[in-house]
Amino acid sequence: MRKRRRKTKLVFFYLILFILMVGFLGTKLTKINFFHEDIAFAISLTDGQKIMGERDPLNKEINRRIGEEKQRKLEIERKKIEEAERIENKKNPKKIAYLTFDDGPSAKSTPIILDVLKKYDIKATFFIVGNMVAKDPDMLKRIYNDGHQIGNHTYSHNYNHIYKNPKNFMDEIYKTENLIKSIVGEEFDSKVIRFPGGSFEKKKDPIKKALIESGYRYFDWNALNGDAEGSKFSENYLVNRLKETVKGKSKVVILMHDTDPKITTAKSLEKSIKFLLDEGYEFQILDENFKWE
């Protein structure tokens, strides 16, 4: 009898426990179901608002105006930054040096100059003379392949002939240009010119006009190393002369020569470059986009 009573109590206990568990789980499942329904309703409501917003002309107009206002503010901010940079550059202008070499190429000076430029990863502008190129076309190829600018300095460099009239000058420019293309390729398209002796005299105005009308750009200089002022100058003299003529200038176009009689220029070039670097100059080539400002 006792055993039966004990079994009956256990059965009754487990039955009550089962009923309680079923009730607990039912409550949980109901809550989860309600939670899912709430999420579904919220998502449906958001999607509906989005669709209505896209279809509502007033909302579209508001969004358009908000976008325009953001763009206007960005444009104002960009202009402020540009103006600040302009003022800063005016106060502390960027220092740029343009190394230029006239009258070459030559067998002795030009290779030394190219080696130094390569060592410092600097590009320069070489104003070549046509009859010098005809003697050493491989040197012109090296100048071009090293990434330097090639400028036209006439074919003969003969003042009496080229300055007699604009036609003589232009004929030599075209002749030299065609020679350059025959050596480095037809893709050569530099329109950079330097007058032998510079463009300073008024009598050269008709030639300037002819050059400009033909799409060329001519360049003089505002600094030099003095190698055209005489012969047999020491390296220190040339470097000091360069220091004198660049003083106080933020943008310098430096006149030098790479003919063999001017080999001291080639030998002193590294000292000149070190000085310019110490002074904070960057190096660029001359091209049609150059501005003195």
Side-chain angles (χ1 to χ4, degrees), residues 250-292:
S250 60
K251 187 172 284 190
V252 288
V253 179
I254 303 169
L255 172 68
M256 295 177 281
H257 296 79
D258 63 327
T259 58
D260 284 342
K262 309 294 184 183
I263 196 165
T264 314
T265 288
K267 292 179 177 179
S268 64
L269 180 60
E270 187 163 9
K271 294 177 184 176
S272 297
I273 287 174
K274 285 180 178 179
F275 163 74
L276 292 167
L277 288 171
D278 288 343
E279 290 295 307
Y281 284 93
E282 298 177 10
F283 297 87
Q284 295 183 17
I285 61 170
L286 294 173
D287 59 25
E288 293 86 346
N289 299 315
F290 171 88
K291 291 181 181 180
W292 279 109

Side-chain angles (χ1 to χ4, degrees), residues 8 36-38 48 61 74 91 114 130 138 150 165 168-170 225 232 254 289:
T8 302
H36 285 167
E37 287 177 357
D38 288 344
E61 179 63 18
L74 286 172
K91 290 179 181 177
L114 290 172
D138 287 339
I150 297 174
N165 56 61
N168 285 1
F169 191 93
M170 294 306 300
N225 72 344
K232 297 182 180 179
I254 303 169
N289 299 315

Side-chain angles (χ1 to χ4, degrees), residues 95-111:
K95 299 176 82 172
I96 306 173
Y98 300 82
L99 303 180
T100 69
F101 301 93
D102 289 12
D103 300 352
S106 63
K108 295 178 182 178
S109 291
T110 306

Side-chain angles (χ1 to χ4, degrees), residues 85-135:
E85 288 177 348
R86 188 188 67 79
I87 293 170
E88 181 61 26
N89 288 336
K90 197 169 182 179
K91 290 179 181 177
N92 302 294
K94 192 176 183 180
K95 299 176 82 172
I96 306 173
Y98 300 82
L99 303 180
T100 69
F101 301 93
D102 289 12
D103 300 352
S106 63
K108 295 178 182 178
S109 291
T110 306
I112 297 172
I113 289 169
L114 290 172
D115 287 343
V116 174
L117 293 173
K118 190 171 186 177
K119 177 180 178 180
Y120 287 89
D121 193 24
I122 292 170
K123 305 305 178 190
T125 303
F126 289 80
F127 288 99
I128 60 92
V129 176
N131 60 20
M132 295 296 288
V133 170
K135 295 175 185 176

